[in-house]
Amino acid sequence: MSVRLILVGPPGAGKGTQADLLCESLGIPPISTGAIFRSHASSGDELGKMAESFTSRGELVPDSVTNKMVAARLAQPDAAGGFLLDGYPRNLPQVAALDAILEDAGTHVDAVLSLIADDDEVVQRLLGRAASEGRVDDTEDVIRHRIELYHGQTEPLLAVYRERGILVEVPGMGTIEEVAANVQSELKAFLSK
Ligand code: AMP
């Protein structure tokens, strides 16, 4: 299915897992800026080192770097038939940058899925993940800072997409399977409108 999606949600809401499940069923590539930064960091290249100096503190990587990286990724052939952006855009300037990238390509976003989750629950999930995956940005202070950034910088973009009539809110609490079912049904209902 050729569909262009954005998945938004607080850190720890299970965005990555839900992105992968939905992309598999729709046959589109998941594009996670966080995962791209982590892969550069583990290969130890310049972009990775630079990004890690921000990600390890729970700060956003500068927009100039992130926007350029996303533009290059969206120009890859596998994104021509649709994609799901996970973790991008994360602030209003990135919304404008994405608009410009897609306008240049003569396309647009079809729907923005917003996972609704509760702060205390996401902190607990992230602390659990820290123990199992050992991500450098999963310490309690950094987690709290990432959630603050989500509320301050990322949540305002929901109003922009709501205004455009493409915001789809999805209950994000529950098991992976329950949330995946919510994502599928809300998206289906929206796209068939
Ligand atoms: P995530 O895997 O989406 O939780 O992202 C992990 C980290 O990567 C974030 O806490 C940021 O430091 C960085 N990052 C991911 N996406 C973006 C973005 N769109 N803009 C700036 N920094 C980002």
Side-chain angles (χ1 to χ4, degrees):
M1 184 182 190
S2 172
V3 64
R4 293 170 179 82
L5 303 172
I6 295 174
L7 182 62
V8 186
K15 283 195 308 298
T17 307
Q18 296 301 331
D20 291 347
L21 290 170
L22 183 61
C23 284
E24 199 175 319
S25 82
L26 296 175
I28 54 175
I31 300 179
S32 156
T33 41
I36 302 175
F37 288 134
R38 282 187 289 282
S39 119
H40 281 282
S42 60
S43 72
D45 63 19
E46 285 310 309
L47 172 60
K49 283 185 214 154
M50 193 280 282
E52 201 166 32
S53 70
F54 294 92
T55 58
S56 62
R57 290 181 288 123
E59 299 292 350
L60 295 185
V61 177
D63 289 346
S64 55
V65 175
T66 308
N67 292 334
K68 219 167 109 189
M69 186 175 87
V70 170
R73 179 64 188 84
L74 289 177
Q76 297 290 308
D78 67 329
F83 53 78
L84 181 148
L85 286 166
D86 159 14
Y88 180 93
R90 238 178 171 96
N91 58 22
L92 292 172
Q94 292 183 8
V95 171
L98 178 62
D99 286 344
I101 294 168
L102 296 180
E103 196 178 317
D104 281 351
T107 178
H108 60 272
V109 172
D110 298 298
V112 178
L113 296 158
S114 167
L115 286 181
I116 313 291
D118 164 285
D119 281 2
D120 288 338
E121 168 90 24
V122 297
V123 170
Q124 290 314 314
R125 282 200 209 166
L126 285 171
L127 289 172
R129 183 172 81 184
S132 62
E133 291 180 22
R135 266 175 59 161
V136 291
D137 56 352
D138 279 346
T139 64
E140 185 152 3
D141 282 352
V142 174
I143 289 169
R144 298 239 175 245
H145 184 56
R146 288 164 62 207
I147 292 174
E148 267 168 37
L149 268 187
Y150 178 75
H151 291 307
Q153 305 260 315
T154 307
E155 261 179 1
L157 60 85
L158 300 179
V160 173
Y161 290 124
R162 183 178 293 117
E163 181 80 7
R164 293 185 193 176
I166 56 170
L167 187 69
V168 181
E169 293 185 289
V170 180
M173 309 306 292
T175 63
I176 290 175
E177 293 75 19
E178 284 163 351
V179 177
N182 294 342
V183 169
Q184 294 271 3
S185 63
E186 298 289 340
L187 180 63
K188 199 170 158 205
F190 175 78
L191 293 177
S192 63
K193 264 199 261 175

